Every structure is written in structure tokens, then in C-alpha cells.
Amino acid sequence: MNARSPATLVADTGRGNEAAILNAALDAFGTAGFHGASMRDVAKRAGTSLSNLYNYVPSKSRLLAEVLRRANDELAARLRAAVDDAGDDAVSRLREAVRAYIRFIVEHQVAMVVSTNEVRYLTGADRASLVAERDATQAVFEGIVAQGVAEGAFRTPYPDDAARTVLTALGAVAGWYRPDGRLSRGQLAEQQARYALALLEAPLPH
Amino acid sequence: MNARSPATLVADTGRGNEAAILNAALDAFGTAGFHGASMRDVAKRAGTSLSNLYNYVPSKSRLLAEVLRRANDELAARLRAAVDDAGDDAVSRLREAVRAYIRFIVEHQVAMVVSTNEVRYLTGADRASLVAERDATQAVFEGIVAQGVAEGAFRTPYPDDAARTVLTALGAVAGWYRPDGRLSRGQLAEQQARYALALLEAPLPH
Amino acid sequence: MNARSPATLVADTGRGNEAAILNAALDAFGTAGFHGASMRDVAKRAGTSLSNLYNYVPSKSRLLAEVLRRANDELAARLRAAVDDAGDDAVSRLREAVRAYIRFIVEHQVAMVVSTNEVRYLTGADRASLVAERDATQAVFEGIVAQGVAEGAFRTPYPDDAARTVLTALGAVAGWYRPDGRLSRGQLAEQQARYALALLEAPLPH
Amino acid sequence: MNARSPATLVADTGRGNEAAILNAALDAFGTAGFHGASMRDVAKRAGTSLSNLYNYVPSKSRLLAEVLRRANDELAARLRAAVDDAGDDAVSRLREAVRAYIRFIVEHQVAMVVSTNEVRYLTGADRASLVAERDATQAVFEGIVAQGVAEGAFRTPYPDDAARTVLTALGAVAGWYRPDGRLSRGQLAEQQARYALALLEAPLPH
DNA sequence: GATGAATGAGCCTTCATTCAT
DNA sequence: TATGAATGAAGGCTCATTCAT
């Protein structure tokens, strides 16, 4: 049902099977959802035994938390780097942020899907810290939008909500993107950037 | 975790506990997800016994399918009615469609959330028929967008993808809407309509 | 897996669905065994509702008991009649008893199979009375054998055990008989009679 | 209902509880039948937990298959050995085969009963392979009978069917044998051998 | 680290039976 | 008679987790 290649969000950590386990968990959660995937599934995908999982991870929910944390860290780092490397104006910054976001999705689609769908099953501190990280990511976009509004580049009357909506639309791309789809990665980024700028009511031409 | 009031997507069907069961399932799936909710949960919420559930529904997955089918039917009916009652121009039609969509979310938020998150757990014919229904709903929006492009009201260069993106953004509202939030239902609809028109590159002022 | 035609051990009793239910039970028990068949199965086969079963039969085990009782009664009656109608000598009587037994199997194969396999699930009085009936049937054979030994027609040194063995071999026919098999009903009876006489050490030629 | 001592068909396999589980299953199926016995019953008899059963056996039906396979293997091995060790003539061979069969029943009565009564609940490959093994066992008897007919030692006109009937009668012994019964093991074998030879129409004295 | 065995709770579903109509 | 709804127990099986080795 899911033809995407096995996820490799986590590169070898030098700690035995750890990377394999985290990537296996990502795949398992991506395929069946958090509650639909079992620790046995994860073990099988990771090529190790069920009980050995617990040498690396204390529980299923912490496994989800760890996977989501890494995905979010990676996305956040890419976004920050993209924005830093961009020009000083809001339009450039937004454009680069969108590009980076799309690149992340293309390279780590499963991670993005799991991030979107399974956060709700985190609890307590794990949930809180992930939500905080996400808010930070969202703040980056809100910052860009605020700057654009100040500069007169964006005319949306609802800057913060619009920033969130842009983020939502971007995230949703992970739900339908296919590597062999109609649009190349570049075209996809271009399209999404245009949607974002339009939604923010940046005067044409983009 | 979920402070929303109990869902009442399904009104009394005149067949004993059927409505109670479907609504209970909606709530349960909305709270814990399809795999996270148990038939015992559903039974408890419906105020009946576990085994009696099976006098109304043949399996957990068919229960999900039934719930999703009803939600989709209701949404589709509202959209069709709204578009039919609207003026002849694409902008009016889009506006009314957005308004109807938001109204559905406000009244059946849980149904919308479950619809979005749990379709993936349908299989076989249930999945196929629901996907078909969704495609029909999407076609309504694509039709409006195509009309708008033809009329010169929308200038987006990617009409079909843009229609989908609009739909995505609308659906996402169910993920964060709170009845006691900052915006009234009307304001929310207004805002979303503006996002949609902007994204479709309708010339301002809207 | 089981190509035998639906059993019709019980002819219309003039009491609504009773015959249909008893025959359905026979089929169900024959196909899946007593514990493998459910009252729902029986109801479905009988073309009535589950709960209506209980208007005719007080419980599943009494249903089994009733079915077995009727099967045994029919078999016993046929045997008695056959022996009565036969000549006075043991060989003729045995021959006719075997013929009648085989005829019963051919006409009521499922009943015979169920009789053999499911008696063990009877309990209490039902079990006791069926065992008593069977012992009576067995006594008929033992009587014939005893007579034959007295007459010098049978020379087996273990008359009673031999009678039981003959009965066992006969009953086992129900386990493999197929209407479209190699032997006609008559040939089958002939063969079994010869086995019986040989086993009882009747002097050849038979 | 069943006063026979606990079965010990399977000796310690060196793999934890495996033997205990297989023997427990044999007992459980022997007492209540395949569908009448629950995995919980088996676990209780084996002195382990329900869930731990599944560390040894993948399903209830595979458990039945495994038990039946072992029983059949043991019986087949004994028969082969007995026939090999016997003299060259058909009568000796048959006599030894019967003796070995009876010895198996005496030592593994429950296994024989379960073998006879519960094969029908096997399905697919398990069923097919067991049927094949049984046919092989039957072929041993058919071979002996054919040899006897060729030698003029047996005069039955239906050699193959007679071999099957002999086998049936032997198997049925498991249904009524009691360790404290009238006949010793040796007498039982003697009696059955005489029945078999008589049925095959071997000229007296046996 | 790594394994197989073990545990107790829980899963979805079906059971025989009863009840109200 | 006949039905659909209801019940509580039990069915086979899987779960996340732990333990001994």
C-alpha cells in the first residue's frame, strides 16, 4: 500500500542498532500508525529481537517521542539554515523556507507524515516539548510574515493565522507527494511558494 | 485531552441504539484514534454492552467505514446545497462552499477530524468507496475553480492543485478550531474565504 | 469438503419448523462437530432465526440428544424389522442385519457419522439413555452371534467382542462411503456381510 | 469423564515447555475434542500461561496438527519396525503389525483417540500431509495383505478394502480399551490378530 | 548487547441463552 | 410462533513489557 522507500531519517549513531531501530519505528508508525504498529513490527523491521529493543528505548511511547524529536530537529535546523542563508527581505526568506520545507518532505516523507499524524499520541513531557519545538518552527514563519507585513510586502489582514495556514498546506504535501509524480521537486517548491505568497497577499508578480 | 462536547453526527435512526453507537464510535475514534480505541470503549460510550454492538455493526472496521460514510455524505450534501443556492459566479460559489464547509466543521468537528485522520485504516471496498466520494467532493471545488479561471476571476496557474490545497487548508481548521476561540463562526468563514480567494489569485479587493 | 446432500433424517412432524431444525442440526453437527457448530449455524441452515430455535429445543445439548435419539431409533427399528423378517438361522439373520445397517448408512450417512462422533458430548440422562439404546442394538448382534455359535455356524472363540467388532466395522463405513463410489449399495452390503461372517469364523463358502 | 492417566506422547524435547504443551494439548483435545478444548485449558494443563503457549505454537490448529503428526510418526515407526523384524511370511508380518498397533494403543491411547476423532478439523496443508502419512500406514497393511493373497495365505476377495477394515477395527480398540479391563495386553493383541486373520480369510487354525 | 521465554492485561469477536415485542 | 436486541462469559490471539541467561 505504501511504496515509499524505507525511511532513513536517522544515520548510524555509532551505537549498535540504534539507527536501525529508530528508522524501523518510523516506518512502522508510518505504515500502521502508532497504535496499529507493534513493538514486534518494529523489531522485525529493525532486524533484531523484540526484547533487544528495550536495550535502546525504554518504552513504545518514548520510541515515538524520540523519532518525532529527531524529525522535528532536522526540519527545524534546515529551516533555520535556509532562512539565515536567504536575502534580507521577507519574500526571499519565505521562498527559501518553503524550499527547505519541501526538500525535507521529499527526503523524509514518512517522517513528515508520522510527525503530522502521530503527535497526538504523545503524552506528558514528551508532548509538551515537541509542541514547544513546533511552536518555535511556527514562530519562524510568523516572524517572516510579520516582517513582510511591516515591509508592505504582504498585505494579509490576518498575519499569524495565515502563517499557520501556510504551514498546514506545506505539511499536507507529505500526504500526497510521490517521487514519480507530475512535478519535479523544484516545481513543487515553486508552486507551493506561489501559493504561500498569494495567500499572504503579496502583490504580483511573484 | 479532548474537551469538545460529544459528537452527534447521527440523529436517531429509529433503530434502537444505532445512532448512539455510531456517535459513540465517532467520539472514541476521535479521542484515541481507530487503533487506540477499543470496541469496549465504544460500547461504554454508547451505554450498551460490548457484544450488543455486533447486533448493529459487523466489525470494528465496518464501524469506522459507516461513520466516515455518514460524515462524508453530510458534508457533501451541504456543499452541494450551498453551491446550488449561491449565485452563478465562481466567487460567490466558492464563498458559499467555504461557508458551508466551515459550518460543517463547527457543528461536526470530531467527524471532520476522524474523517481526516482515520481514513487510512479503511481497507478494500470501504476504502475505495470513500475515496471515490471524496474525489467527488474535491471535484466540486475543482469545478468552481475551473469556472473562475475561465471567467477570469481566478488567475492561479495551477487550478486543480490549488483547489486541493484550498480543501486541505479548510479541513485543517478542524484540527485547531475551538468553540470559545478568538473568532466567531462567521469571522472564521470570512477569513478562510479570503485565504482561498487569495490563494486562487482572485484580484483584490475581495 | 463435504459433498453429501443435506440430511433429511427427520420428516415433517407437523409442528412448524421442527423437522427443518433437526435436520439442520444434523447437517451442522456433521460438518463442524458439536462444539464447532453454533446455534447460529443451525438457525441459518434451518432458515429461521436464532432465537426461534429455542421455541423448539431448550438447549444446544438437548438438540444434539434429540437428533441422536431419532437416528438411533430409526436404525434400531430397521435392524429389528430386518432380523424379524429374516429366516430363522443365524447366518440369514446376520446377513439381513448387515444389509439393513448398510441401507441406513447409505440413506442417512450424516446421521451415522454424527452418531458415532458426537455421542461423547452428551451428558447426564441424555447420555445414559442413548448408551442404553445402543447397548440394545448391540445386544441384537450379540444375540445373533450367540445363536450362531450355539448352532455351530460361527466358531469365533470371542463371541461378544466379535459382535462389537462387527458393529464397529459396519459403523465405520459411514466414514468413507460415497454415493458415487466403486461399489453399489448391494455390493457394499455383500462385502460387509462377508467380512462379518469371516470374522465370526463361519465356515466357507458363504 | 476420562479417567486415563495424562498422556505422554512427547518426551522432553530439550526446549523448555514444549513437551509439556504438546502433551497437555493431547489431553485437552482427548477430553473435550478440538473445538471443545480451549487454549486456556491447554495452558492450564501444561502449567504455563495462555500467552506463553504462543511462544511455542503459532495457533490452535497448528497445535493440533503438531500433536497428530507426532502421534502418527510414532505409530508409523513402530509398525515399520515390527514388520521389518517379523518373519518373511504375510501371516507373521500381519501378526506383528497388529501386536505393534495394539502396543501403541495401550501406551498412547489418548493419542490414538485424538488421531481418529480430530483429524477432520485439520485444514489445508496440515490436513493433506497427515492424510498422506496415514495413507502410507495403510499401504503397509495393504502390502501385507497383497503378499498374503499372493502366497495363498489370505483368500479374501477384496484385499484392499479388507486391509482398511482391519485397520479400522484396530483403531477402534482405542475407543473402549481400559487398562484394568478383562483382557491383558497380550490377550488383546492375540484376539485382534485372530479377527484380522479371520477377516482376511486365512485358513484355520490360526 | 542480545536472546527466547514468560507474564498479565487487553484485543476483536462469537458463544449459548434470554427477553420484550 | 417468530423476531431483533440484549447479556455475560468465553473464544483465540496479540500486546507492551520483563526476566534469566
Side-chain angles (χ1 to χ4, degrees), chain C residues 81-95:
Chain C
V83 173
D84 284 357
D85 289 354
D88 284 343
D89 62 304
V91 171
S92 301
R93 286 184 166 175
L94 185 73
R95 218 179 259 289

Side-chain angles (χ1 to χ4, degrees), chain C residues 36 52 58 65 67 77 90 119 134 142 164 170-171 178 188:
Chain C
N52 194 32
V67 158
V119 213
R134 292 197 164 200
E142 288 173 351
R164 175 174 53 191
L170 278 174
R178 293 291 173 269
L188 188 57

Side-chain angles (χ1 to χ4, degrees), chain C residues 2-54:
Chain C
N2 196 321
R4 310 173 199 125
S5 52
T8 49
L9 175 65
V10 181
D12 195 319
T13 62
R15 195 182 162 238
N17 280 334
E18 192 177 34
I21 289 174
L22 291 169
N23 287 321
L26 193 55
D27 266 356
F29 296 155
T31 300
F34 177 66
H35 281 121
S38 72
M39 290 299 267
R40 273 167 182 85
D41 291 341
V42 175
K44 195 166 295 171
R45 280 174 198 266
T48 185
S49 71
L50 169 61
S51 38
N52 194 32
L53 250 47
Y54 289 86

